[in-house]
């Protein structure tokens, strides 16, 4: 199975900061990488699909990049509503897997 | 608007069984692959299983292979997760999710998700 390693596991940021989260796959997954945001008590919400495509309705301060094994989620000008946990997820193989998650909280 | 409504969670004793349901509305359910994902208390997301649109192909995570069974009834727009021989470590919120694209190849992701249902395995 393809393993996904996310880092960091948590980070603190101030409103207006730029935040970067990385995700590494154990083998090449081309661009089959998605990012989700989850807030407490809620189901995950898709943000980015196919490594860099913005889901409809998601603010453009969110962006994704990467291909192969290394991927990045960037949040520019972090807003109060962005404090949440973020997960990467690969959809390359027949079995999908998630990264461990990155909790973004207020500094 | 596509909506997934889950039912069937609750408390179950170790070794017993439970079946979860997830009913879709607002979409042509029979055209889409469906997934189940779970989240143990305070932990991350764990992908569990997928089922093809026609129900003939299923792929399971090793953690549930042989104990959990996914199925679907396209006439009822519903996907099921049958959980047998449950263990304490199966305690989690379980989510069903629909793939966003009908394409067999190319990018795909999970959207939307059900509201989640809590399953507690305890004696």
């Amino acid at each position: 199975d393809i393993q996904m390693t996310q880092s960091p596991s948590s980070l603190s940021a101030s409103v207006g900061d730029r935040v970067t989260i990385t995700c590494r796959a154990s083998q090449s997954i081309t661009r089959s990488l998605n990012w989700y945001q989850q807030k407490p008590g809620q189901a995950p919400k898709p943000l980015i699909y196919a490594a860099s495509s913005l889901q409809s309705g998601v603010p453009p301060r969110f962006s994704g990049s990467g291909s192969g094994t290394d991927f990045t989620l960037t949040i520019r000008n972090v807003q109060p509503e962005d404090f949440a946990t973020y997960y990467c997820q690969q959809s390359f193989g027949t079995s999908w897997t998630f990264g461990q998650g990155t909790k973004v909280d207020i500094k | 608007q596509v909506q997934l409504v889950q039912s069937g969670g609750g408390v179950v004793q170790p070794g017993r069984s439970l079946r979860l349901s997830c009913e879709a509305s607002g979409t042509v359910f029979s055209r889409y692959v469906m997934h189940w994902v779970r989240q143990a208390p305070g932990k991350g997301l764990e992908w569990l299983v997928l089922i093809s649109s026609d129900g003939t192909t299923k792929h399971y995570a090793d953690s549930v292979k042989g104990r959990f069974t996914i199925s679907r009834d396209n006439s009822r727009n519903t996907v099921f997760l049958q959980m047998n021989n449950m263990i304490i470590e199966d305690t989690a919120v379980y989510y069903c999710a629909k793939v966003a694209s009908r394409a067999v190849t190319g990018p795909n992701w999970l959207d939307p998700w059900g509201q989640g249902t809590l399953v507690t395995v305890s004696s």
Side-chain angles (χ1 to χ4, degrees):
Chain A
D1 288 356
I2 299 171
Q3 308 302 316
M4 305 302 295
T5 303
Q6 232 179 291
S7 61
S9 57
S10 65
L11 65 89
S12 297
S14 300
V15 172
D17 282 355
R18 171 178 165 147
V19 165
T20 299
I21 300 168
T22 63
C23 184
R24 174 165 288 175
S26 59
Q27 66 182 73
S28 176
I29 56 171
T30 62
R31 293 177 61 81
S32 300
L33 190 284
N34 308 312
W35 291 97
Y36 300 85
Q37 176 194 67
Q38 187 181 34
K39 296 181 179 179
Q42 297 183 16
K45 165 189 165 184
L47 295 176
I48 302 284
Y49 63 92
S52 61
S53 296
L54 198 65
Q55 175 79 351
S56 175
V58 174
R61 62 179 180 271
F62 290 91
S63 64
S65 64
S67 66
T69 60
D70 293 310
F71 302 86
T72 300
L73 173 69
T74 299
I75 314 172
R76 291 178 175 78
N77 186 21
V78 168
Q79 295 299 297
E81 60 268 30
D82 300 337
F83 294 101
T85 302
Y86 294 85
Y87 294 91
C88 63
Q89 173 250 316
Q90 65 82 14
S91 58
F92 181 77
T94 52
S95 297
W96 293 16
T97 44
F98 289 90
Q100 307 97 311
T102 297
K103 184 176 181 180
V104 178
D105 62 21
I106 301 173
K107 186 183 291 183
Chain B
Q1 178 181 345
V2 181
Q3 192 172 12
L4 303 177
V5 177
Q6 299 180 223
S7 58
V11 180
V12 61
Q13 293 178 327
R16 303 299 291 267
S17 300
L18 197 66
R19 188 175 85 156
L20 305 182
S21 300
C22 169
E23 182 176 1
S25 61
T27 185
V28 183
F29 175 77
S30 61
R31 296 178 180 175
Y32 292 91
V33 174
M34 296 294 294
H35 293 242
W36 287 94
V37 174
R38 72 182 177 185
Q39 186 169 36
K43 303 297 183 182
L45 301 170
E46 179 187 12
W47 178 85
L48 296 180
V49 59
L50 69 82
I51 186 168
S52 61
S53 57
D54 63 0
T56 59
T57 300
K58 306 167 187 179
H59 294 287
Y60 294 88
D62 288 343
S63 58
V64 301
K65 198 175 296 182
R67 297 191 303 118
F68 289 13
T69 302
I70 191 172
S71 62
R72 65 191 295 161
D73 183 342
N74 285 343
S75 68
R76 295 164 57 190
N77 290 348
T78 302
V79 62
F80 304 97
L81 185 66
Q82 176 69 41
M83 303 183 289
N84 296 332
N85 192 22
M86 297 188 73
I87 59 178
I88 300 292
E89 290 75 20
D90 293 327
T91 296
V93 173
Y94 286 73
Y95 296 98
C96 63
K98 168 189 160 292
V99 293
S101 170
R102 286 189 290 153
V104 175
T105 59
N108 221 332
W109 63 104
L110 299 176
D111 183 42
W113 295 58
Q115 83 276 19
T117 187
L118 178 62
V119 173
T120 302
V121 183
S122 173
S123 54

